Amino acid sequence: AIARFIMPGEQKMGWIMTILLGVGGSFAAGFVGQALGWYQAGQGAGWIASVVGALVLSVPGAFLALFVTHTAISMPSMIGLIMLMGIATKNSILLIDYVILARRDHGLNRWDALLDACRKRARPIVMTTIAMGAGMMPIALGLGVDPSFRSPMAIVVIGGLITSTFLSLLVVPVV
């Protein structure tokens, strides 16, 4: 039933392969880049799992937004998904980086560092989400030049940001 709304007629298998390759490729590239960065910083694999967890949380919101707005999956929506992955990664790195800082410099234990990070970094994360959502809203509403091309990108970013922001503030510290 979902495929009928978001995928055009006879091209379902082609779109499914495009989605799998696009999402899988962006996950793989993001994971390799993050793994190299975190290992280079000497933090280990535990923090990488937290960041990848935030990426996974952004995808359902993006596809739910496409489903709710009856928008087809297209190349601009895949571009929006890659943009969304970058923002979700940045938000989770903000949390994790502060946890590392609090444990190393302030001597807090793990639990206290997590609570402190969520308390102090929730505001910048929510501000980023509101600013990006407000910037994408006119595009999602179809205002401006060529809304048929740009609208799916904005819809994906807004939907994914909403779920990623709220779920990453709850799930990333747990992972």
Side-chain angles (χ1 to χ4, degrees):
I2 293 175
R4 186 179 47 200
F5 284 111
I6 62 175
M7 293 185 188
E10 299 174 3
Q11 299 176 349
K12 288 181 184 175
M13 287 308 293
W15 282 105
I16 291 172
M17 292 306 296
T18 302
I19 291 168
L20 291 177
L21 289 174
V23 172
S26 64
F27 271 129
F31 181 74
V32 168
Q34 290 168 12
L36 291 174
W38 287 107
Y39 276 123
Q40 197 172 31
Q43 297 304 324
W47 301 111
I48 297 169
S50 299
V51 174
V52 172
L55 294 178
V56 172
L57 294 174
S58 64
V59 174
F63 287 118
L64 182 67
L66 286 175
F67 177 72
V68 167
T69 60
H70 300 285
T71 305
I73 295 174
S74 61
M75 190 55 66
S77 64
M78 291 294 112
I79 293 169
L81 191 63
I82 292 171
M83 186 186 318
L84 173 64
M85 298 287 175
I87 297 167
T89 301
K90 181 202 73 73
N91 287 344
S92 63
I93 288 174
L94 270 173
L95 277 174
I96 292 168
D97 191 42
Y98 195 80
V99 169
I100 293 168
L101 179 84
R103 291 188 76 190
R104 185 184 63 219
D105 294 347
H106 302 294
L108 296 176
N109 64 18
R110 186 178 206 169
W111 179 254
D112 291 335
L114 286 170
L115 290 177
D116 192 41
C118 286
R119 191 177 319 116
K120 291 183 179 172
R121 293 295 177 217
R123 182 203 257 173
I125 290 171
V126 171
M127 286 171 53
T128 301
T129 301
I130 290 172
M132 190 68 169
M136 287 287 187
M137 189 59 72
I139 299 169
L141 294 174
L143 305 174
V145 180
D146 197 15
S148 64
F149 184 78
R150 295 180 181 184
S151 181
M153 176 182 62
I155 290 169
V156 164
V157 170
I158 292 170
L161 273 177
I162 291 170
T163 59
S164 173
T165 298
F166 294 114
L167 292 177
S168 69
L169 286 172
L170 297 173
V171 175
V172 169
V174 173
V175 174

